[in-house]
């Protein structure tokens, strides 16, 4: 793959699977990890972008899930803004 994070004109964010630290709900035992595949995130389902308790860049979703990523905050913010604006762009 030639990208780590990119956006589509449909408002989607694609993140390389190796950059995902954790996907899960807070205070729950279960968690999951992508199996090397790209993670697809709908920007309309993101409540806000911030840091979790472990200080990782995290997308907080409307369904309660947190998606922690191993990318700089500026890149995650740019991807979020481009996806919300329906702009197709490769961030890195």
């Amino acid at each position: 793959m030639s990208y780590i994070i990119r956006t589509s004109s449909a408002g989607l964010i694609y993140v390389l699977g190796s950059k995902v630290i954790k996907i899960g709900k807070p205070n729950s035992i279960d968690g999951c990890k992508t199996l090397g595949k790209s993670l697809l995130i709908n920007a309309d389902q993101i409540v806000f972008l911030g840091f979790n308790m472990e200080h990782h860049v995290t997308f907080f979703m409307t369904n309660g899930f947190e998606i922690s990523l191993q990318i700089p905050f500026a890149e995650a913010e740019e991807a979020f803004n481009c996806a919300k604006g329906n702009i197709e762009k490769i961030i890195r």
Side-chain angles (χ1 to χ4, degrees):
M1 292 198 188
S2 61
Y3 67 88
I4 292 176
I5 186 167
R6 73 177 179 96
T7 62
S8 73
S9 58
L12 303 174
I13 301 172
Y14 295 87
V15 180
L16 188 65
S18 63
K19 296 298 179 181
V20 177
I21 297 171
K22 182 178 121 180
I23 302 170
K25 286 189 176 187
N27 301 324
S28 67
I29 297 172
D30 62 321
C32 61
K33 178 83 169 137
T34 60
L35 298 173
K37 303 293 182 186
S38 293
L39 177 67
L40 180 64
I41 304 169
N42 186 343
D44 292 333
Q45 299 298 317
I46 298 172
V47 177
F48 65 94
L49 171 66
F51 295 94
N52 65 2
M53 298 299 287
E54 291 86 28
H55 306 288
H56 296 123
V57 173
T58 304
F59 287 117
F60 295 90
M61 309 301 286
T62 58
N63 59 5
F65 277 87
E66 297 178 1
I67 302 172
S68 299
L69 305 172
Q70 186 180 352
I71 60 172
F73 184 83
E75 291 179 4
E77 184 178 33
E78 183 179 359
F80 178 63
N81 291 333
C82 288
K84 286 300 265 186
N86 295 331
I87 300 169
E88 191 167 325
K89 184 174 183 181
I90 295 176
I91 308 298
R92 182 168 67 146

